[in-house]
Amino acid sequence: MKKKIMTAAGLILTAFMLWFSLINNFNIGILIPMIIGVIIAVWCYLPDNNVIKQLKRLFIFFTGILVVFMIFVGVMAQTNSAEFDEDAVIVLGCGLHGTVPSGNLADRLNKAVEYNSKNPDAVIVVSGGQGPQEECTEAEAMYKYLVEKGVSDDVIIQESKATSTNENYRFSKEILDDILGEDYEVVYITNSFHSYRAGELAKLNGLNAKAYNARTKFSSLIPNYCREVFAVIQLWVFGR
């Protein structure tokens, strides 16, 4: 029974990651769970010798560390939440399908609409440049989305040069410094899996920032949080 359960679990995880890779860009957040799934599927069929036993122990150790880091990223995302009296909002870009916001970006924009309903006076900076296979800048698509959802165009500012989260903040801060001076509070809006790292990057860019998290879809929890673990480690090691 144990053999059947482990084999089925490993095959399901591997198949799910394969399916997920067909509708999303392939990355380390997909590759690592896929490898884990394959190892679990063949676990009970491996030879029973000392080398394999040591490899199994290493696999359990590193998988456990990965899970702990994923939980850490998820828990830390729930801290330092918005209070709805902040001066500005930065909506972090997240990819387009042509001119249409991706699912994650649409979730972020919906949270921006929600925040605006509670604090309509806050300036909203939509931040994101134009990437491969995108037909306009992310900032332009985000601006149109928010206006169509009823947000006044008077409070929206487009930042259309950024190609990374770090640049989102750097270029947005330049804009906000010109408008608000140096003493202001910011809310950043991103998906929950990205929130901890986004908050740390906001600090590195000198912003007094709080989080207002959009959801992470259930189907993308494993690949997004897994990929984010490696991005967080990169941030800790290289400061970016």
Side-chain angles (χ1 to χ4, degrees), residues 4-175:
K4 290 180 180 179
I5 291 173
M6 289 190 67
T7 302
L11 290 175
I12 289 170
L13 178 58
T14 303
F16 175 75
M17 288 298 107
L18 284 170
W19 168 79
F20 195 84
S21 70
L22 295 176
I23 57 175
N24 295 274
N25 294 329
F26 192 82
N27 56 57
I28 194 169
I30 297 173
L31 176 63
I32 297 300
M34 189 181 295
I35 292 173
I36 290 173
V38 171
I39 293 173
I40 292 173
V42 302
W43 184 274
C44 295
Y45 302 94
L46 296 172
D48 188 20
N49 57 52
N50 287 333
V51 173
I52 296 299
K53 286 179 179 178
Q54 291 301 319
L55 290 175
K56 284 183 175 182
R57 290 190 183 104
L58 283 174
F59 171 77
I60 292 170
F61 174 76
F62 285 112
T63 302
I65 292 295
L66 177 62
V67 171
V68 168
F69 266 97
M70 290 170 68
I71 293 171
F72 169 81
V73 170
V75 170
M76 293 302 294
Q78 307 308 314
T79 62
N80 197 29
S81 298
E83 297 178 359
F84 306 105
D85 59 359
E86 293 80 12
D87 303 293
V89 177
I90 298 175
V91 187
L92 303 175
C94 186
L96 306 174
H97 302 302
T99 61
V100 179
S102 63
N104 281 339
L105 184 54
D107 288 337
R108 297 179 188 190
L109 292 168
N110 289 334
K111 293 299 286 189
V113 174
E114 188 177 295
Y115 183 92
N116 176 258
S117 70
K118 299 177 181 181
N119 183 10
D121 295 326
V123 176
I124 300 175
V125 180
V126 288
S127 177
Q130 184 171 352
Q133 300 179 330
E134 294 179 348
E135 297 176 13
C136 65
T137 66
E138 292 173 9
E140 181 182 348
M142 294 158 77
Y143 171 86
K144 291 179 180 177
Y145 188 100
L146 292 178
V147 171
E148 289 174 359
K149 292 289 185 177
V151 177
S152 171
D153 59 359
D154 293 336
V155 300
I156 307 173
I157 299 171
Q158 297 184 47
E159 184 292 295
S160 56
K161 297 185 296 181
T163 59
S164 66
T165 304
N166 200 46
E167 289 184 354
N168 286 143
Y169 286 131
R170 178 152 57 91
F171 297 143
S172 296
K173 186 176 185 298
E174 291 174 359
I175 293 170

Side-chain angles (χ1 to χ4, degrees), residues 161-233:
K161 297 185 296 181
T163 59
S164 66
T165 304
N166 200 46
E167 289 184 354
N168 286 143
Y169 286 131
R170 178 152 57 91
F171 297 143
S172 296
K173 186 176 185 298
E174 291 174 359
I175 293 170
L176 292 173
D177 285 351
D178 287 340
I179 297 172
L180 301 174
E182 297 183 356
D183 186 19
Y184 56 88
E185 293 187 348
V186 168
V187 166
Y188 63 88
I189 296 180
T190 188
N191 301 92
S192 58
F193 72 87
H194 181 234
S195 185
Y196 168 70
R197 181 164 59 98
E200 294 302 296
L201 285 169
K203 293 176 189 176
L204 290 174
N205 280 276
L207 286 165
N208 181 9
K210 294 184 175 70
Y212 196 50
N213 296 334
R215 65 175 179 162
T216 299
K217 292 181 177 66
F218 182 77
S219 61
S220 69
L221 282 174
I222 293 175
N224 277 332
Y225 275 97
C226 183
R227 181 184 62 181
E228 194 64 18
V229 165
F230 292 94
V232 167
I233 292 172

